Amino acid sequence: MKRLIAALAAALLCASVGSAVVVPVPEPDQSVIEGGSLPPKLSAFRLFWPDSSQPLESLTPYTLRTALFSDYTDKHRMFWIPKGRKASVAADGSIAFPVGSIIVKSFGWPDVNGGRPVETRLLIHRAEGWVALPYIWDADGKDATLALGGRRVPVTFMSPDGETHEIRYAVPNKNQCKECHSLSGEIAPIGPKARNFVLPSGRDRLLARHHLRQARGAEAGAAPVGRPPIGQRRRARPRLSRRQLRPLP
């Protein structure tokens, strides 16, 4: 066995001389994304590196120009569009993601669990429509568990003004996900709108080339390939209201 490993290593070394070794970028498991199951573990989708909350580089990160406030959480948004398929942007700026796409949003705080996410929500576009699934990360941060019934997670964090808060963070159940992401009675993405959609520099042209189809007559700047306006500054977050703050028992 040792000789076999050594031989393989030597072969790879020889092959790399004079030419770069191309290492394939890991991708999500498309069969799970488009399948009909509701995996009990987030790792089944292969969106993150094994035993980690670090997302794969094949997912495209994005931000929103006007994001909703959610208990001071840092939100990390990403999406995946399968190879060979394209999202379409209508004249009004709405984005239609193709079947097989998945939108990922993780919630966490910089001073909680070493900055690892507490929750990750998925919006999955399957043949029968969109499916919303909430996952709560395990204590070791290596995987997350499906929480169809939702849950209250005790969290202690410090807000940007230096004040400490103790709350029971609300992870929505599957029905509550549908209530927030509803369009004509069906689940649909509500955040990714063309004018509100910002990609990191360098990803905009790549997305437009491979995964974007813009309708004729679309308004100028309506494509989801925007960048933060020059001089844009992060707005101060509002203080939590009494209704938002839920003391621990």
Side-chain angles (χ1 to χ4, degrees):
M1 178 62 71
K2 291 183 178 180
R3 291 182 179 179
L4 177 60
I5 294 175
L8 289 173
L12 288 173
L13 180 61
C14 292
S16 64
V17 176
S19 62
V21 176
V22 178
V23 179
V25 178
E27 296 181 348
D29 191 326
Q30 202 61 39
S31 63
V32 176
I33 293 176
E34 297 191 54
S37 66
L38 305 179
K41 287 293 186 178
L42 181 61
S43 56
F45 293 96
R46 213 163 59 204
L47 302 168
F48 300 83
W49 286 97
D51 298 330
S52 168
S53 59
Q54 178 67 34
L56 298 181
E57 285 78 2
S58 52
L59 274 68
T60 301
Y62 72 95
T63 58
L64 299 179
R65 296 182 189 277
T66 54
L68 296 177
F69 174 73
S70 302
D71 292 340
Y72 289 105
T73 55
D74 283 341
K75 301 176 186 177
H76 298 277
R77 301 174 174 86
M78 301 158 285
F79 68 88
W80 161 258
I81 298 176
K83 290 181 178 178
R85 306 181 195 181
K86 290 192 174 185
S88 59
V89 182
D92 63 356
S94 59
I95 305 172
F97 289 88
V99 170
S101 301
I102 186 166
I103 300 175
V104 184
K105 182 164 64 171
S106 293
F107 299 76
W109 293 264
D111 57 343
V112 176
N113 294 336
R116 298 192 303 269
V118 172
E119 175 202 4
T120 291
R121 302 176 191 176
L122 305 181
L123 269 180
I124 311 166
H125 197 184
R126 291 175 168 170
E128 65 274 15
W130 287 91
V131 178
L133 298 178
Y135 285 85
I136 299 176
W137 282 87
D138 302 335
D140 59 9
K142 294 183 177 181
D143 207 343
T145 303
L146 182 63
L148 291 178
R151 193 182 303 173
R152 294 283 184 176
V153 181
V155 177
T156 301
F157 65 91
M158 183 177 294
S159 55
D161 59 5
E163 186 176 352
T164 299
H165 304 274
E166 294 183 352
I167 67 172
R168 297 184 66 84
Y169 174 72
V171 176
N173 59 45
K174 195 171 183 294
N175 291 331
Q176 289 172 324
C177 289
K178 184 176 181 179
E179 289 176 4
C180 291
H181 293 271
S182 181
L183 181 64
S184 300
E186 301 292 335
I187 296 179
I190 58 174
K193 304 295 183 184
R195 289 189 176 278
N196 199 31
F197 204 84
V198 181
L199 295 173
S201 179
R203 287 286 187 115
D204 46 8
R205 294 181 181 178
L206 184 65
L207 177 69
R209 181 185 304 171
H210 296 288
H211 295 299
L212 180 64
R213 180 169 52 247
Q214 185 169 351
R216 293 183 178 179
E219 298 179 7
V225 293
R227 297 174 181 172
I230 297 176
Q232 183 186 58
R233 298 182 179 180
R234 189 175 184 180
R235 296 180 180 179
R237 292 176 174 177
R239 296 177 62 86
L240 289 173
S241 66
R242 291 185 177 181
R243 293 185 61 185
Q244 290 172 312
L245 282 172
R246 302 179 181 86
L248 294 173

